[in-house]
Each structure stands twice: as C-alpha cells, then as structure tokens.
Amino acid sequence: MSQDLELLIRSLFARIQKVPAETVDMNADIFQVYGVDSLRAVKLLSTLEVELEIELPSEQAGNLRSLNDVLRCVQSAQAEEARRAAS
C-alpha cells in the first residue's frame, strides 16, 4: 500500500510539474528543487484529497517540504479516517 501511495503521489506531482515521474526525488525540497509555488502545492494536496477521499489538515500544508512529507501526511490522514470509521 505504501508503495502504491508513493507511486500515486509521485505521478500526480510529475503531472502537475510536467516532469517525468521517474525523475522525481521523493526527498527533494519541492520548492527549491522543482520550483513549486504555493498554488501548485495546494493543487497537489487537493488532488490527493479527491483521489483518496480524505481530508488533509490544512495547518500542516506549510510544513510539507518534500514528497515524503506529503506521503507521511497522507498516511496520517488515512489512519485518522480509519479510526473515525471504526468508532
């Protein structure tokens, strides 16, 4: 599941940034290395919310510097959704 999620994040980011997915570094600072601006960062997060039917905490958005940060944030949101559904 984690690899599928990583692949989804990588491919969505590549599509938004118009770069080949295989060249995307999950550890790179997306703002410095890929020149992401705040609008593209929001677009990535909102697309992930729609694709995965989750709600990402907006207060964390400013702290997401790499795609691995995004991955951890999504995993956390999915775990929270699962906890709520189980209650």
Side-chain angles (χ1 to χ4, degrees):
M1 177 65 172
S2 180
Q3 284 184 322
D4 292 341
L5 189 53
E6 181 180 326
L7 182 60
L8 174 65
I9 291 169
R10 185 187 304 264
S11 64
L12 286 174
F13 180 78
R15 187 170 62 214
I16 290 167
Q17 285 300 108
K18 296 180 172 80
V19 298
E22 59 275 1
T23 66
V24 173
D25 179 355
M26 293 290 289
N27 294 309
D29 183 310
I30 60 173
F31 299 96
Q32 290 182 357
V33 174
Y34 295 102
V36 170
D37 59 21
S38 59
L39 289 176
R40 286 189 180 182
V42 168
K43 183 175 182 176
L44 174 63
L45 296 179
S46 62
T47 303
L48 284 168
E49 286 180 323
V50 170
E51 289 278 329
L52 300 171
E53 298 178 357
I54 60 171
E55 188 173 327
L56 297 172
S58 57
E59 66 274 3
Q60 287 188 353
N63 299 326
L64 304 175
R65 302 297 299 178
S66 72
L67 294 178
N68 273 326
D69 291 342
V70 173
L71 175 63
R72 284 187 291 277
C73 182
V74 168
Q75 289 170 328
S76 177
Q78 287 178 322
E80 182 60 31
E81 293 278 333
R83 276 192 291 278
R84 264 191 252 135
S87 303

